[in-house]
Amino acid sequence: MGAAATTTRPTRTSTTSGRPSGKAQRSTPGPVGSGGERPRASGGGLRGSVGALLHQLGPRGRFGLAVVAAVIVGLLGFAIGTNVGRPDWPGEGSADVGFARDMASHHAQAVEMGMMAVRKAADDRVRSLGHDIATTQQAQIGRMYSWLDTWGVPRHTNDPPMAWVPGGESMVKGNLMPGMATREQINQLQAAEGREFDILFLQLMIDHHLGGVHMVDAVLDQDPSPPVRELAEQMKRNQGNEVITMQNLLAEFGAEPLPN
């Protein structure tokens, strides 16, 4: 046979990175984001600016900034907590607020007279009754003042007594709420001694309790909030029972209630 036939392949042009060497070589591009944009260098943009700022502040500055941020977050949390889901508390002009203010003042006189009975009563039953009235009504004063504080209204105002009751001015005598003793009567009670004191105390306290019951009825007629209704009904029961006890004691002492 003659010389072996050789297959000649065309010579390939030398390339760089798969491209003909005859063309200018391009620089290899960096990574490309999904939107075709190139990512920023590390530390660039807002994150980089914040990082640079924190670095410049130093440890003390970063601590102070953290404290300020914590205070702001706390204030925001407090504001949210005190407003979201806040109860619909009674406000100025409501029967609840007016009753709490007026009844607290009404009770204060009963506490004053009850403490007189603790010191001066001749009969042990009258002394015990005075003690019960003073302690019970002082506790109720505290409860009503707590309501007013929680509701965000002042404990005392310049409103006339019983202004929260429609037509309440007719229930007031000499600027005194129903059943309240005059200052002259309080002075007379302070000066009395022995059985005379016991009788006058019972007479004044019967009127005081009956007046308080009228005030309770007035607030119950105006559909008060549940806490006010509960306390008002409790007052009515307790004072009604005490009136019966005092009337019986008066009869035993041979005396009668004061004329209306």
Side-chain angles (χ1 to χ4, degrees):
M1 291 181 62
T6 59
T7 304
T8 304
R9 296 183 180 181
T11 302
R12 299 181 61 184
T13 306
S14 175
T15 60
T16 304
S17 299
R19 290 185 178 86
S21 59
K23 294 186 179 180
Q25 184 174 345
R26 296 181 180 178
S27 61
T28 303
V32 179
S34 59
E37 74 283 358
R38 299 180 188 275
R40 295 177 182 269
S42 175
L46 179 59
R47 182 179 299 178
S49 299
V50 173
L53 175 61
L54 292 176
H55 179 74
Q56 292 175 6
L57 287 175
R60 291 186 178 180
R62 289 195 293 271
F63 176 76
L65 186 62
V67 171
V68 172
V71 171
I72 293 174
V73 170
L75 292 174
L76 287 174
F78 176 79
I80 293 172
T82 55
N83 287 281
V84 175
R86 181 172 179 168
D88 185 16
W89 287 322
E92 286 290 353
S94 67
D96 298 63
V97 170
F99 172 79
R101 285 177 180 149
D102 280 357
M103 187 58 82
S105 297
H106 197 273
H107 272 20
Q109 188 180 76
V111 171
E112 180 184 5
M113 292 193 292
M115 292 307 299
M116 286 187 197
V118 171
R119 296 191 305 269
K120 301 186 60 176
D123 192 286
D124 289 342
R125 294 169 293 176
V126 176
R127 184 179 300 108
S128 177
L129 182 63
H131 177 270
D132 290 346
I133 290 172
T135 54
T136 298
Q137 298 207 12
Q138 184 61 53
Q140 291 174 348
I141 289 173
R143 188 172 174 183
M144 289 183 285
Y145 278 163
S146 177
W147 289 342
L148 295 171
D149 294 343
T150 300
W151 297 339
V153 295
R155 296 181 178 184
H156 307 284
T157 67
N158 293 325
D159 294 341
M162 307 303 294
W164 50 277
V165 182
E169 64 276 2
S170 63
M171 302 174 67
V172 178
K173 295 182 179 180
N175 207 42
L176 294 174
M177 287 173 278
M180 291 187 70
T182 64
R183 182 43 53 182
E184 290 75 18
Q185 288 174 319
I186 294 296
N187 292 339
Q188 184 182 355
L189 181 64
Q190 183 67 56
E193 300 288 344
R195 181 56 59 86
E196 179 188 358
F197 173 89
D198 291 359
I199 290 175
L200 183 57
F201 170 80
L202 294 172
Q203 289 173 329
L204 294 177
M205 192 60 77
I206 287 173
D207 282 359
H208 197 278
H209 271 20
L210 291 176
V213 170
H214 288 319
M215 295 172 65
V216 165
D217 287 338
V219 75
L220 291 177
D221 286 343
Q222 299 189 59
D223 191 24
S225 59
V228 175
R229 175 174 293 278
E230 178 186 358
L231 182 59
E233 291 175 343
Q234 178 185 339
M235 289 177 183
K236 188 171 183 177
R237 287 192 302 270
N238 292 348
Q239 295 187 25
N241 291 334
E242 288 172 348
V243 165
I244 293 174
T245 299
M246 291 187 288
Q247 288 172 337
N248 291 337
L249 284 172
L250 268 184
E252 181 181 330
F253 297 161
E256 296 181 353
L258 295 173
N260 293 329

